[in-house]
Amino acid sequence: MFSRMLYGGDYNPNQWGKEVWKEDMRIFRDARINSATVNVFSWSKIQPAEDVYDFSELDEIVDMLSAEGYDIVLATATGAMPAWMVTRYPETARVDFEGRRHRFGGRHNACPHSPVFQKYAARLAEKLAERYGSNPHIACWHISNEYGGECYCPECEQQFRLWLRRKYKTLDALNDAWNMEFWGHLVYSWDEIVVPNALGDAIGREKTAFAGLSIDYRRFMSDSILENFKMERDAIRRYDKTTPITTNLMGTYKGLDYFKWAKEMDIVSWDNYPAYNTPWSYTAMRHDLMRGLKDAPFMLMEQTPSQQNWQPFNSLKRPGQMRAQSWQTVAHGANTIQFFQLRRSRGACEKFHGAVIAHVGTEDTRVFREVAQLGRELEAMGDTLLDAKNPAKVGIIFDWDNYWALEYTSGPNVELKYVDQIHRYYKYFYERNIPVDMIPVDADFSKYSMVVAPVLYMVKDGMAEALEKFVSDGGTLVTTFMSGIVGQSDNVHLGGYPGPLRRLCGIWAEEIDALAPEQSNAVKFADGGEHKCGLLCDLVHLEGAESLGSYAADFYAGYPAVTRNAFGKGAAYYVATQLEADGLAVVMDRASGEAGIKPVIDEPTKLEVTRRSGKNGDFYFVMNLGGEEQPLPSRFAGKTDILTGKTAPSVLKTWDTVIIKG
Ligand code: GLA
Ligand code: ZN
C-alpha cells in the first residue's frame, strides 16, 4: 500500500500566508516529515459559492508538497459544510436529540440523508479525484473527517421507515421484534414509527423504553453515514482506480459499527488521543481493535505531538513519551505516524492544541526535537515493517451491536459499561505480553486457541453454534455474566440464562444480583484463595459444568461463581461475576494454560513486549511505558537495538523503547 512509513499529519497552510509555507517545508525537512494530510476543512475555500469552484490554492499546496516528494493524504473536505450551503439549504443541517434543527456552525454535522449535501459532497469528491487522482504523490484519500453523531430530522425518519420495511417486511414482524405490546406501542402504519430521540421513546440520553427500536436506529444511522462514505469513495473511483481510500476512525467510538465500515475501506486509519490517565493497556486494546477491523496494518492518522486542548486536563507528553507512544502504535500494527497537526493554529478552539511547530514558529523547541528524532528513526526503518503482522492465538470478541444493546439496558447495574468489561480481559493478556486479536462475532474462530467473549449479551442467530463448534473442536472459550441474554432485537432468549450458550457452558443462571460500588462479595477458589468481586453476581446452577470457585458471602454463599464445562475436545469457562484483577488472573491463568497460550517471550517483565512478524523477520518492541526502571529481559541481552544501532541497554528507564530483531 505504501512504500515507506508515512510521517507527517494534518497540515493547513491555507490558514497561513505563503511566506510561512516555505519556512514550513524547511522545518519539516529537518524532521524527515514525508507526508501531509491536506484539505480536511477547506470546503468553503474550494467551493466559495454554490456554482463556483476554486482550486487555485489547493493546486499550489499540492504542487509544493509534490515538489518536496511528499506522500500526500488528500482529504475530500466534506467534514465541515460551507456557510452558503447551510444558509440556503437549512435541511443539510441535522436535527439533534432534543429535536432542534441546527443552523450553520460546528462540523461533522451534515444530515446523512440530505440530497443537497449528498449532491455537493459527491460532486466535490469527484472533482478532486478528477483533478488530483493521477498525481503520483497522492498516497491516500481521506474522506470527510471523524464521521459520527446522529440526525433525527424528518428526512432521516422517512428513510428509517424505508430501512425498517426492507428489514422486517411486515409491521407484525416489527411489532414483534420490538415487543410493542409493551406499553401498548403497537403501530399499524409505517408512518407511525417515530425516531427514538428525547421527543420519542428515549429515556434520558443513555436509555430507551424500546431497545429494539433504539438499536435499530443506531444500525440505521451507522449504515446511513456509511452510505455517505461509500458515495464519496465511489465518486473518487470514477477517476482514480487505485489509490487507497480511508476515513479516520476513533477507536472504540460507540456510534458507528466499525467492523461493517472497515469492509468498505481500503485501509483503516484512526485518531489516538489518550487522556493523561488512560491506561496503556487501554490504548493498546484500541490499536488492536483498529488492526482487527481488517486484520491488517493500519494508519495512525492523528495524535498530538505534545498536548490536546479538549480534555479536562491537557498535560504535556513528558520528554520521550511521544516517541514511546508512537512506537507502541507501530508495535500494534501501524504503518504511519501522523500528527494533528503540523503547525499550531493561531485562533479558534484548537489554538492550545499541540503541533509540530508551536506558536513560537521555529524549530527550536523540545517538541520539535523529539519529532525530529522520531522522524529519523522512522526514516531509517524504511519499508522493513510494512508487511509485518501481529500473530495472536487469543481472540477477544468486540461487537457494536452488543455495545449498544448492553448499554441500553435499564438494569441490572448502571455501572455496567461494555468497553470497560472488554478492557478488563484485554488487560490480563496485555500485562503478560500475550498477543491478542480483537475480533468480530463472525470471525473465523478456528484461527485461535482461545476466544474470550466478555458480556456477550446479544447472541444473534448462528453465534452459539459457531462458538459450540469452536469449543468442540478443541478451543477454549471464556464468557461471563450478562451473556446469551437477548437476540438481535433485544428480546430475551427464554428458558434460562445464558440462553443459547446454556448447553455450551453447562450451567443456568436463575437470578442476577446487582452490587453498588460500595458493596462487594468474594469468590473462594478450590485452593482456598479468596478474591473480591462485585457489580453483578449471577446465581448459577450447574448442569454438567464443574465449579472452580464459589461466592463467599450473602444468601448465595456457596453458589458457583466460576465454572468450567468440558465440551467436545475443548472447554467453556463462565465467569458469573466481575472479579478484580487478581481473581480474574486465577481463572485466566487456568483457561489460557489449558489453551496453551504463550506470551511473546517466556520471561515475566513489567515492560511491554510486542512482536510484529513479516518477511524481514520478527521484531520485538520493548517499551517502558511509565513507572520504575526495568531490567531488559535476558533474552535480549547483548542484542542490537535497531533504533540506535547500539547494544540494547540492560535497564530501560521510563519511556525507553528498543526494537530488537529476533
Ligand atoms: C480530531 C479531529 C481534528 C482535531 C483533533 C484535535 O481528531 O479530527 O480535526 O480537531 O481532533 O484533537
Ligand atoms: Zn437527517
Side-chain angles (χ1 to χ4, degrees):
M1 187 138 334
F2 304 127
S3 58
R4 55 184 174 181
M5 303 197 80
L6 268 49
Y7 190 49
D10 277 44
Y11 181 45
N12 300 299
N14 44 308
Q15 294 171 12
W16 300 91
K18 299 236 173 85
E19 65 293 349
V20 178
W21 301 11
K22 251 189 141 159
E23 181 68 350
D24 287 343
M25 292 300 103
R26 183 188 68 75
I27 295 177
F28 297 157
R29 227 173 282 140
D30 204 24
R32 307 296 198 268
I33 281 173
N34 62 24
S35 174
T37 305
V38 295
N39 202 42
V40 180
F41 294 112
S42 306
W43 195 347
S44 68
K45 199 67 168 283
I46 56 185
Q47 192 180 0
E50 189 163 358
D51 302 315
V52 184
Y53 288 88
D54 178 1
F55 294 102
S56 53
E57 187 185 55
L58 186 57
D59 285 350
E60 283 186 65
I61 294 168
V62 169
D63 286 349
M64 174 177 74
L65 297 174
S66 301
E68 290 282 327
Y70 273 45
D71 284 320
I72 301 169
V73 178
L74 186 54
T76 61
T78 53
M81 293 183 285
W84 61 257
M85 192 157 96
V86 188
T87 308
R88 183 170 304 168
Y89 305 102
E91 75 277 12
T92 55
R94 288 182 184 173
V95 169
D96 69 13
F97 186 75
E98 279 74 32
R100 302 170 300 195
R101 173 78 72 183
H102 281 221
R103 305 180 65 200
F104 170 64
R107 61 173 180 173
H108 308 156
N109 54 8
C111 166
H113 287 289
S114 154
V116 173
F117 168 73
Q118 290 176 359
K119 176 172 114 184
Y120 285 117
R123 185 175 290 176
L124 188 58
E126 183 169 318
K127 280 184 183 292
L128 288 164
E130 182 181 11
R131 196 170 188 91
Y132 303 107
S134 58
N135 178 337
H137 297 283
I138 308 292
C140 187
W141 289 96
H142 173 306
I143 294 182
S144 191
N145 190 65
E146 291 194 339
Y147 277 113
E150 50 274 317
C151 180
Y152 298 94
C153 79
E155 183 60 33
C156 285
E157 189 166 64
Q158 203 48 41
Q159 294 294 332
F160 181 46
R161 292 166 182 157
L162 295 172
W163 186 92
L164 292 168
R165 274 181 107 126
R166 286 194 295 275
K167 175 166 178 171
Y168 292 106
K169 313 280 189 297
T170 68
L171 284 165
D172 281 348
L174 176 136
N175 280 318
D176 183 56
W178 294 353
N179 199 36
M180 297 287 259
E181 287 274 5
F182 179 76
W183 287 355
H185 275 215
L186 293 172
V187 289
Y188 294 95
S189 145
W190 296 95
D191 292 335
E192 289 166 6
I193 295 164
V194 169
V195 293
N197 67 356
L199 308 181
D201 265 317
I203 303 177
R205 277 220 159 249
E206 305 291 322
K207 303 295 177 186
T208 170
F210 290 84
L213 159 62
S214 292
I215 294 164
D216 271 341
Y217 202 71
R218 282 198 176 274
R219 290 172 174 145
F220 160 74
M221 253 311 131
S222 178
D223 286 359
S224 301
I225 300 175
L226 179 56
E227 285 303 317
N228 287 174
F229 170 85
K230 287 162 64 182
M231 173 190 78
E232 289 194 39
R233 178 200 64 190
D234 296 346
I236 290 169
R237 283 284 174 256
R238 287 196 272 281
Y239 288 94
D240 178 352
K241 303 278 179 236
T242 52
T243 308
I245 300 178
T246 191
T247 182
N248 47 344
L249 309 181
M250 297 177 282
T252 47
Y253 173 71
K254 190 172 177 180
L256 304 173
D257 181 348
Y258 283 157
F259 275 112
K260 211 166 171 185
W261 274 64
K263 294 197 173 89
E264 306 295 338
M265 299 164 62
D266 296 320
I267 183 167
V268 164
S269 65
W270 89 284
D271 302 345
N272 179 29
Y273 290 106
Y276 75 96
N277 58 354
T278 303
W280 290 95
S281 53
Y282 194 83
T283 298
M285 176 183 77
R286 288 163 39 115
H287 287 315
D288 286 353
L289 178 62
M290 295 296 97
R291 187 187 71 247
L293 294 181
K294 287 190 89 68
D295 191 17
F298 59 91
M299 301 170 77
L300 179 78
M301 189 62 88
E302 292 181 25
Q303 68 171 352
T304 176
S306 54
Q307 73 192 142
Q308 292 149 64
N309 69 293
W310 48 267
Q311 306 262 14
F313 310 105
N314 298 284
S315 50
L316 296 174
K317 288 183 179 164
R318 312 337 264 181
Q321 183 178 353
M322 184 278 291
R323 173 177 182 259
Q325 182 177 322
S326 300
W327 284 118
Q328 188 202 30
T329 306
V330 174
H332 286 268
N335 280 351
T336 77
I337 294 291
Q338 295 157 276
F339 297 107
F340 186 89
Q341 58 180 332
L342 297 190
R343 183 181 272 274
R344 196 165 186 158
S345 181
R346 62 184 275 273
C349 66
E350 288 177 351
K351 62 180 177 299
F352 280 123
H353 196 288
V356 170
I357 302 177
H359 284 149
V360 67
T362 69
E363 63 270 51
D364 190 18
T365 61
R366 171 184 76 89
V367 168
F368 183 81
R369 283 187 289 276
E370 295 192 31
V371 168
Q373 183 196 341
L374 180 63
R376 281 189 285 275
E377 291 173 354
L378 286 164
E379 186 180 64
M381 204 57 92
D383 64 356
T384 310
L385 289 168
L386 295 181
D387 74 302
K389 300 272 240 168
N390 293 61
K393 296 309 279 176
V394 177
I396 298 182
I397 293 179
F398 194 99
D399 178 46
W400 267 266
D401 272 333
N402 263 287
Y403 194 170
W404 299 333
L406 188 80
E407 296 191 356
Y408 272 136
T409 61
S410 292
N413 196 322
V414 63
E415 301 264 306
L416 177 63
K417 295 281 182 261
Y418 184 68
V419 182
D420 172 47
Q421 292 300 324
I422 304 289
H423 176 240
R424 284 165 186 272
Y425 283 81
Y426 182 89
K427 191 160 171 270
Y428 167 82
F429 296 107
Y430 178 80
E431 285 174 348
R432 288 157 185 79
N433 288 314
I434 295 171
V436 167
D437 278 348
M438 303 296 289
I439 59 173
V441 283
D442 58 354
D444 173 9
F445 299 138
S446 69
K447 281 167 59 183
Y448 301 99
S449 307
M450 184 172 189
V451 168
V452 184
V455 290
L456 192 65
Y457 171 69
M458 177 183 286
V459 172
K460 290 169 269 192
D461 290 351
M463 274 171 57
E465 293 75 6
L467 289 171
E468 285 189 0
K469 174 151 195 341
F470 166 71
V471 177
S472 63
D473 289 349
T476 302
L477 173 75
V478 177
T479 189
T480 71
F481 61 91
M482 286 304 262
S483 292
I485 310 266
V486 300
Q488 74 90 20
S489 297
D490 201 60
N491 292 315
V492 169
H493 290 296
L494 300 176
Y497 318 130
L501 303 179
R502 184 170 165 175
R503 200 168 78 106
L504 176 55
C505 294
I507 53 132
W508 79 278
E510 182 176 339
E511 293 183 273
I512 308 170
D513 195 14
L515 277 59
E518 68 276 15
Q519 298 176 318
S520 65
N521 200 324
V523 177
K524 197 169 178 171
F525 287 95
D527 65 1
E530 251 187 56
H531 297 275
K532 208 167 156 188
C533 68
L535 190 78
L536 293 171
C537 298
D538 283 353
L539 279 54
V540 163
H541 302 284
L542 301 176
E543 290 180 331
E546 56 177 318
S547 172
L548 303 179
S550 50
Y551 294 110
D554 219 317
F555 78 91
Y556 44 89
Y559 275 60
V562 179
T563 63
R564 176 187 177 278
N565 191 39
F567 190 90
K569 293 192 210 133
Y573 288 75
Y574 187 87
V575 185
T577 182
Q578 178 182 290
L579 278 159
E580 294 197 349
D582 56 346
L584 191 61
V586 175
V587 184
M588 297 304 283
D589 285 352
R590 169 152 182 183
S592 55
E594 180 171 355
I597 299 300
K598 297 258 182 302
V600 289
I601 58 165
D602 288 334
E603 274 167 85
T605 168
K606 291 214 169 87
L607 299 164
E608 180 182 326
V609 185
T610 297
R611 184 181 55 212
R612 279 181 77 171
S613 306
K615 63 177 190 311
N616 297 313
D618 291 337
F619 295 86
Y620 292 86
F621 295 71
V622 186
M623 295 161 278
N624 186 339
L625 296 172
E628 289 147 30
E629 24 179 85
Q630 302 293 337
L632 186 74
S634 61
R635 181 187 200 290
F636 300 128
K639 297 259 172 83
T640 304
D641 167 17
I642 63 175
L643 292 176
T644 58
K646 299 194 191 114
T647 305
S650 55
V651 169
L652 265 59
K653 297 194 288 297
T654 297
W655 312 129
D656 279 357
T657 297
V658 301
I659 305 179
I660 288 158
K661 200 170 164 206

